[in-house]
Amino acid sequence: MRVYLDNAATTPLAPEVLEAMMPYFREHFGNPSAQHSYGRESRAAVEQARKVIAGCLNAKTSEIIFTSGGTESNNLALVCSVRDLGVERIISSPIEHHCVLHTIDWLADHHQIKVEYINLKEDGSLDLEHLESLLQESNVKTLVSVMHGNNEIGVLCDLKKVGELCEGNNALFHSDTVQTMAHFPFDVEQLKVHFLTGSAHKFHGPKGIGFLYAKKGLSIKPIIHGGGQERNKRAGTENLYGIVGMAKAMQLAYEHLEDDKAHILELKRYLFQHLSNGFQDIRVNGPEDFDNSLYTVLNISFPPDPRGSLLLFNLDMEGLCVSGGSACTSGASNGSHVINAISQEQDRVSIRFSFSKYNTKAELDFAIEKIFKVFNVKVEC
Ligand SMILES: Cc1ncc(COP(=O)(O)O)c(C=O)c1O
């Protein structure tokens, strides 16, 4: 048996999504830019998918730009803000995904921008009073870029509050919503946000496809140059089957959002409860209030162990697939910039468990047994 609890890294493709994509690998293969019937069929599928995605967010179809995924969408929002929209200062947080942090570093190296980071509270949440004072202390055109749900520790950001602060201080607002898109509802008419990011493979869609919501009226130019696709905002032949699959995945997710959330939250509580029974000294990295956290992510700080990240390898050998941080830090248990930002105790072992609607309690029982075995925990029945 093998159990997959690494859904924050990527999720399995939903069978309904694969089924929706198949015709676009086979008979409907036309280039959406072609004028003939094959092309027109493909164009219709792309625009229908855009309509579905925009509908899920209460956005306009013209506000959805298809990209290759979360990384590209975040690059597009950040680079365009500085290059096209006159942003001279970016306020972000130290626990953003590297595709945001490294892009900000690049912008700081290549453009005359100032970068400031918001202080964090103990559980990794943003100190919004600090954000407010940063916003108030300067009049230069500012972009605030903060993620909605953290991929490593599951801390959530109050997008409504941040949006109001940005609006009150005339700042643009970008949120990396890769971990929460299709897991939480969004209404862009209510949120005072300028950019949101989606990536299909985090919600049972295919890899290599995502989108950027860019509010109407923002005059942004492409960062990938070539043809006039995506209303001249992103060149390149559209990833037709990816776009169709992403729309299907998003539609499915929003149809079953509350039921899936309840199921996953129960799994998260179940795993934490059982691990707490076995270990004297485990802690949650991130928020302990599971009702107000990213329900798909549980990051546990285990007592110090000389085997360190070898523990992840041992769990893998036992058939349990989990992560030590984000997948992009290749499973290192103590190399995570997120854990380092919230914890001084570098010798403890952090493991991220991340769940999907497909996980079951039986799988968690298997996981618990393997964790106890690898950590040499004896539990009395
Ligand atoms: C919070 C966050 N942002 C961005 C990304 C990058 O998305 P993609 O893999 O679609 O490029 C990830 C992926 O791990 C993520 O977790």
Side-chain angles (χ1 to χ4, degrees):
M1 186 170 175
R2 212 155 54 123
V3 168
Y4 183 77
L5 294 181
D6 198 17
N7 290 280
T10 195
T11 54
L13 195 73
E16 301 91 323
V17 171
L18 180 61
E19 202 182 318
M21 292 169 71
M22 285 314 280
Y24 296 89
F25 286 103
R26 292 185 177 133
E27 57 266 39
H28 302 305
F29 58 83
N31 186 321
S33 297
Q35 300 298 312
H36 48 63
S37 60
Y38 279 92
R40 291 197 307 274
E41 281 163 13
S42 297
R43 168 62 51 210
V46 168
E47 295 315 319
Q48 176 55 24
R50 199 188 308 277
K51 207 166 149 192
V52 167
I53 291 169
C56 290
L57 303 178
N58 198 19
K60 298 171 185 62
T61 49
S62 60
E63 295 175 319
I64 304 299
I65 305 167
F66 292 127
T67 67
S68 64
T71 298
E72 185 187 328
S73 297
N74 285 336
N75 271 261
L76 187 60
L78 292 161
V79 171
C80 291
S81 293
V82 172
R83 190 195 56 188
D84 307 330
L85 305 176
V87 162
E88 292 175 34
R89 179 173 73 141
I90 297 181
I91 301 177
S92 190
S93 92
I95 58 169
E96 299 301 304
H97 191 272
H98 279 143
C99 69
V100 167
L101 292 176
H102 292 172
T103 305
I104 294 175
D105 288 346
W106 184 86
L107 284 166
D109 283 350
H110 292 82
H111 296 262
Q112 300 292 315
I113 62 157
K114 189 169 183 196
V115 181
E116 318 220 48
Y117 293 98
I118 307 163
N119 294 338
L120 301 177
K121 297 185 182 166
E122 217 174 309
D123 65 356
S125 57
L126 300 178
D127 177 349
L128 294 185
E129 283 174 17
H130 183 224
L131 170 61
E132 189 170 12
S133 72
L134 287 172
L135 281 167
Q136 285 170 353
E137 75 193 19
S138 165
N139 285 329
V140 301
K141 186 80 188 162
T142 297
L143 171 77
V144 173
S145 177
V146 289
M147 70 205 317
H148 183 207
N150 185 275
N151 49 306
E152 295 196 38
I153 57 172
V155 67
L156 287 175
C157 164
D158 184 346
L159 293 190
K160 191 163 174 291
K161 180 90 177 99
V162 174
E164 283 162 4
L165 288 175
C166 289
E167 189 182 61
N169 291 279
N170 208 16
L172 292 174
F173 178 25
H174 161 242
S175 182
D176 174 354
T177 43
V178 164
Q179 289 292 335
T180 50
M181 184 60 65
H183 297 278
F184 286 79
F186 292 93
D187 181 341
V188 294
E189 288 289 323
Q190 302 291 320
L191 288 175
K192 306 196 181 302
V193 70
H194 296 87
F195 299 105
L196 292 178
T197 308
S199 177
H201 74 105
K202 307 289 186 179
F203 51 89
H204 306 289
K207 293 171 187 47
I209 182 72
F211 67 89
L212 179 70
Y213 158 79
K215 196 176 177 65
K216 194 171 175 224
L218 295 173
S219 177
I220 61 171
K221 298 186 177 64
I223 57 171
I224 294 179
H225 304 277
Q229 289 91 350
E230 295 303 285
R231 294 179 177 82
N232 289 315
K233 294 194 173 89
R234 201 275 186 179
T237 300
E238 295 87 342
N239 175 352
L240 177 61
Y241 28 77
I243 290 170
V244 168
M246 175 163 65
K248 180 71 184 178
M250 192 132 159
Q251 188 178 28
L252 276 175
Y254 280 115
E255 276 168 13
H256 304 283
L257 193 87
E258 287 308 319
D259 287 347
D260 291 344
K261 178 178 172 180
H263 170 68
I264 296 169
L265 193 52
E266 203 179 320
L267 295 179
K268 177 169 167 171
R269 291 188 199 289
Y270 185 83
L271 181 60
F272 182 62
Q273 185 59 52
H274 282 74
L275 292 181
S276 304
N277 293 343
F279 289 88
Q280 301 266 307
D281 176 27
I282 60 166
R283 300 173 207 162
V284 179
N285 284 319
E288 285 171 16
D289 174 7
F290 291 173
D291 286 322
N292 290 305
S293 70
L294 180 54
Y295 54 89
T296 48
V297 169
L298 175 65
N299 194 313
I300 297 288
S301 165
F302 290 90
D305 189 300
R307 290 170 294 172
S309 60
L310 205 62
L311 287 163
L312 283 187
F313 176 75
N314 292 345
L315 288 172
D316 186 27
M317 291 291 99
E318 293 288 338
L320 178 59
C321 301
V322 292
S323 160
S326 76
C328 314
T329 51
S330 63
S333 71
N334 54 8
S336 154
H337 67 289
V338 177
I339 304 295
N340 289 344
I342 60 161
S343 170
Q344 309 303 317
E345 299 173 297
Q346 305 301 334
D347 53 344
R348 292 181 67 88
V349 178
S350 292
I351 298 182
R352 179 187 71 181
F353 305 91
S354 51
F355 316 96
S356 88
K357 62 180 179 179
Y358 295 122
N359 289 124
T360 63
K361 276 199 177 151
E363 287 183 322
L364 294 194
D365 289 336
F366 173 91
I368 293 157
E369 182 197 321
K370 298 304 178 191
I371 295 163
F372 286 170
K373 181 176 172 193
V374 164
F375 279 85
N376 301 318
V377 171
K378 303 270 173 286
V379 258
E380 285 160 29
C381 301

